[in-house]
Amino acid sequence: MAIETLSESKAFGGVQGIYRHASSATGTDMTFSVFVPAHESGTRLPVLWYLSGLTCTHANVTDKGEYRRACAEAGVVFIAPDTSPRGEGVPDDDAWDFGQGAGFYVDAKEAPWSANFRMRSYVEDELPALVAAEFPAADLSRQSVTGHSMGGHGALTIALRNPDRFRSVSAFAPIASPLECPWGEKALGGYLGPDRAKWRAYDACALIDDGARVAEILVDQGDADNFLSAQLKPDLLRAACDRAGIPLTLRMQPGYDHSYNFISTFMADHVAWHAERLRK
């Protein structure tokens, strides 16, 4: 599983790299970014995964997320994969909220999406194995995960399905319950088919109601987010966590919207929060 280095540059004493590899999960080339802080030879550092939202690639957070200073200070490797397979021959949709750029971190079951749209397998299995093989500083025994919007949904569901793998999980403006919003109904219906029972593995609230547990969750949500009431619905996550006894810190941030201006404002808080738990 060799990788191709597209670029590497020094940042805050560490190295910000962009890499590409041929993915067996998606059947396409996939691009991802990795920031490795400065460290002594032989030192291994904990890993924070960041999953991006609709229409995004690895580049959005890499260019605008403002995580590198915080990760350098905390000694945390930061990894950002793409949100979907891309390229010639990969199915797509004319709408921005489905198809390329909108993989929803699921393994699709419906044609034509099932041939390439296997982002659950890519993020949960293939990419971690590649990172373990190619980045000796990354300590995969200490992992945490965060994400934004569709990626917040991805972070929550992946952590809930793999509680022994991730020491902590947070999210920025996550899609709290895809079963209960238009984005989720379109994506899960299109990728998985009409049987809503099969959607539950990709809905944080449903997973919690079905018995999945994590130690705690941190969520930041702007109260001026124009997707708040129709798509994101953090109160559904609050209610599910209350029913299950999962400690949820839901911080409603006055005046903030859905953009990377919001994410970058609170990114250092999330990195520090994860770093504390990764040190335990």
Side-chain angles (χ1 to χ4, degrees), residues 46-47 49 128 139-145 165-168 278:
V47 173
W49 296 88
D139 182 1
L140 275 295
S141 71
R142 294 182 290 160
Q143 298 183 69
S144 293
V145 61
R165 182 184 302 185
F166 297 99
R167 297 197 180 182
S168 53
L278 287 163

Side-chain angles (χ1 to χ4, degrees), residues 110-257:
E110 295 289 299
W113 315 103
S114 56
N116 305 108
F117 282 72
R118 302 183 65 246
M119 290 303 295
R120 172 179 177 175
S121 292
Y122 180 72
V123 171
E124 287 189 358
D125 301 318
E126 184 178 17
L127 189 55
L130 181 69
V131 167
E134 298 287 346
F135 296 87
D139 182 1
L140 275 295
S141 71
R142 294 182 290 160
Q143 298 183 69
S144 293
V145 61
T146 187
H148 170 233
S149 193
M150 178 186 72
H153 137 77
L156 292 170
T157 56
I158 288 170
L160 285 161
R161 290 193 304 263
N162 300 276
D164 295 333
R165 182 184 302 185
F166 297 99
R167 297 197 180 182
S168 53
V169 57
S170 72
F172 301 88
I175 301 171
S177 182
L179 277 82
E180 302 297 335
C181 74
W183 281 343
E185 290 184 351
K186 180 176 182 177
L188 299 185
Y191 294 135
L192 303 177
D195 183 356
R196 293 175 67 92
K198 296 179 180 178
W199 302 6
R200 297 184 69 82
Y202 299 106
D203 183 295
C205 296
L207 283 165
I208 291 170
D209 285 342
D210 292 345
R213 296 292 182 267
V214 292
E216 57 183 323
I217 299 170
L218 169 65
V219 170
D220 274 302
Q221 171 66 64
D223 71 1
D225 190 320
N226 59 323
F227 301 117
L228 178 57
S229 60
Q231 304 284 5
L232 306 177
K233 303 186 178 183
D235 287 345
L236 295 179
L237 181 63
R238 188 201 304 273
C241 288
D242 285 347
R243 289 191 296 271
I246 297 174
L248 169 66
T249 301
L250 174 57
R251 305 192 303 192
M252 298 299 299
Q253 302 292 357
Y256 284 91
D257 60 15

